[in-house]
Amino acid sequence: MAKTTSGRDILAKFFDDGAYQVLCGEQGAVTAAFGSANGTPVYAVCQNGEATGEKDIDKMVKVLEMAATTGNPVVTFYASAGAKLAEGLGALAAGAKLCAAVAKVSGVVPQIAVVTGVCGASSALAAAGADVCIMSEEGELFFTPPFTSAAAGDASPEAGKAAFAAKAGVAALVVNNEQQAAAEAARLVGLLPANNLCGPALFDAAAPAKALDLAQYTGAGAAAALCDEGSLLEMWGGYGKNVYTALGTVGGNVVGVVATAGNDEGLCRACVSKAARFVRLCDAFSIPLVTLCATAGFVPSTAEDEAGGLREAARLAASYADATTAKVAVVTGKAVGPAWVALCNADLTIAVEGCTIAPLAPQAAVSVLYKEELDASGNIVAATQKKAAQWAAETCSAAAALQAGLADFAVPAADARAALVGALDMLSTKRPQRLPKKHGNMAL
């Protein structure tokens, strides 16, 4: 049975001091409201667990339209027993109307979906179509009802649960209960700009506790070393584990961070899809994008390519290239070949001493460039390693990248944060210009 909850209770937890103004009346299965969350004016819609009818959906659509008109974010709390089947085909029309409104408002104001109860079918489409989906472990999110799949022999004990949605890349944040879900939604509202014409929010800055450590490198650790202390909010952490994506602040300014996991870790299609989606979110609301690149590159696998790896990589490259927001790439390790092309398309690039920037992995490159010399060496393995190290130091270093124009700064790890703060400051007045077009046609 669907969970029935009080819309007023959830809204009181979401809005500052529990104060808000009810919109469109309180009749029906949906309560709409306007107030302030984390100091930001915001609209909210809350389902109470009952079945939703056409009038309820009309209320949700009206709030989305009001949010776009006034330039304020909208947060929707999903908890519904489904559509009122007694309304017949009207229920189908209402679902289409809601999904159309979500798509229409997309990129105009932030949309945050918060799943606290049952959210299925058309509601699941709308929730997954939001900019960010937060899910409580008390909630259920599914496209196909778990019992329907089970009856067809496709049972899964995790189907519909928060962990399942996170693993599938639908839920960006997973929390224990609806109280935490409301708190995280309020925090996110404070981090995101109010609309696509507003600048990012400003916060008090606190220097990170630890400096960038290349010897014990992780993507999350590198992000924490370059961003303000305690500012990072990881998103889509259950999906694409070799890429870390988070909102945070650098010098008090909100940024989006994409950080790869390290020189020994490759990028699978899930990692690539996750990064591309996050880049699009940041670009939609002009949030400066910081990319920390240290990766073994895209997973070299025919099976991966057949499953869509190449298409997803093309989507990632297009997402970076198409983004007009301020972009800073910080090369902390390997950025070789297609990985450099896709991830390091930036306005300014910081090369950290010890990194490797090359068109081909050094060992592979010297095997081609110096084949005759290596064959005559008597010990091809040792000679290749020595030659690769020499070639990397001369051709692929931070200094070499600076001289070749592939980097704008070459700094030791200890100075990476200062260089990043300076780069973002330089780009704070970026004025992008684009060719006139309806939209690009990236490989979705």
Side-chain angles (χ1 to χ4, degrees):
M1 181 178 292
K3 175 183 176 183
T4 301
T5 187
S6 168
R8 278 192 168 275
D9 288 344
I10 294 180
L11 293 175
K13 294 162 188 169
F14 172 67
F15 287 109
D16 295 341
D17 301 322
Y20 59 90
Q21 181 178 359
V22 175
L23 305 172
C24 309
E26 293 189 87
Q27 301 82 9
V30 171
T31 301
F34 180 79
S36 178
N38 205 3
T40 301
V42 58
Y43 292 89
V45 175
C46 187
Q47 299 176 343
N48 66 7
E50 300 174 2
T52 54
E54 288 185 79
K55 290 184 178 179
D56 298 311
I57 299 301
D58 286 342
K59 187 185 295 187
M60 296 174 70
V61 170
K62 183 175 182 180
V63 170
L64 284 168
E65 292 173 345
M66 291 174 64
T69 300
T70 58
N72 298 117
V74 58
V75 176
T76 303
F77 293 89
Y78 286 92
S80 170
K84 289 183 177 178
L85 297 180
E87 294 184 354
L89 295 180
L92 193 62
K97 189 184 299 184
L98 176 60
C99 288
V102 169
K104 182 179 179 180
V105 175
S106 179
V108 179
V109 297
Q111 297 181 66
I112 301 172
V114 186
V115 179
T116 60
V118 175
C119 179
S122 298
S123 290
L125 279 179
D131 295 302
V132 180
C133 178
I134 301 172
M135 190 166 177
S136 164
E137 291 184 346
E138 300 171 336
E140 294 181 61
L141 177 64
F142 52 82
F143 195 48
T144 303
F147 60 84
T148 301
S149 297
D154 186 26
S156 170
E158 298 299 315
K161 295 182 179 179
F164 191 90
K167 187 177 180 180
V170 177
L173 298 167
V174 173
V175 295
N176 294 329
N177 50 49
E178 64 184 29
Q179 291 90 343
Q180 291 183 9
E184 287 295 87
R187 181 185 178 190
L188 194 54
V189 163
L191 285 171
L192 293 170
N195 56 65
N196 63 334
L197 300 179
C198 285
L202 298 175
F203 295 87
D204 294 333
K210 296 182 179 179
L212 181 62
D213 185 355
L214 300 183
Q216 297 181 333
Y217 187 90
T218 65
L226 296 179
C227 293
D228 297 338
E229 183 68 18
S231 68
L232 288 168
L233 175 62
E234 184 181 6
M235 302 170 69
W236 290 286
Y239 180 66
K241 297 287 189 175
N242 284 347
V243 169
Y244 174 86
T245 53
L247 291 174
T249 63
V250 175
N253 297 280
V254 174
V255 299
V257 179
V258 176
T260 56
N263 291 332
D264 297 327
E265 305 295 339
L267 303 176
C268 68
R269 62 186 184 279
C271 297
V272 172
S273 175
K274 170 182 174 177
R277 178 175 183 179
F278 187 74
V279 169
R280 297 283 286 179
L281 170 63
C282 292
D283 186 49
F285 298 106
S286 298
I287 300 170
L289 186 65
V290 177
T291 303
L292 311 180
C293 185
T295 176
F298 299 106
V299 173
S301 165
T302 302
E304 185 77 8
D305 288 350
E306 184 180 21
L310 178 56
R311 182 185 65 248
E312 294 294 345
R315 178 189 174 206
L316 176 66
S319 295
Y320 268 101
D322 191 53
T324 59
T325 192
K327 297 176 288 187
V328 179
V330 184
V331 185
T332 53
K334 292 181 182 178
V336 176
W340 161 270
V341 172
L343 291 166
C344 297
N345 189 321
D347 301 300
L348 292 172
T349 299
I350 301 167
V352 178
E353 292 177 1
C355 73
T356 299
I357 298 174
L360 193 66
Q363 285 199 344
V366 298
S367 295
V368 175
L369 294 172
Y370 305 98
K371 183 178 185 303
E372 292 183 2
E373 178 182 334
L374 296 175
D375 287 344
S377 66
N379 188 335
I380 293 180
V381 174
T384 300
Q385 290 177 346
K386 181 179 179 180
K387 199 69 176 180
Q390 179 184 350
W391 190 76
E394 294 174 354
T395 311
C396 312
S397 66
L402 185 65
Q403 187 175 4
L406 294 182
D408 302 284
F409 310 90
V411 300
D415 295 338
R417 174 176 161 85
L420 176 59
V421 171
L424 289 169
D425 186 51
M426 279 187 273
L427 294 173
S428 62
T429 53
K430 180 182 177 182
R431 298 165 65 182
Q433 294 183 339
R434 307 185 68 167
L435 294 172
K437 61 180 178 180
K438 184 176 181 181
H439 59 72
N441 189 27
M442 69 173 62
L444 294 176

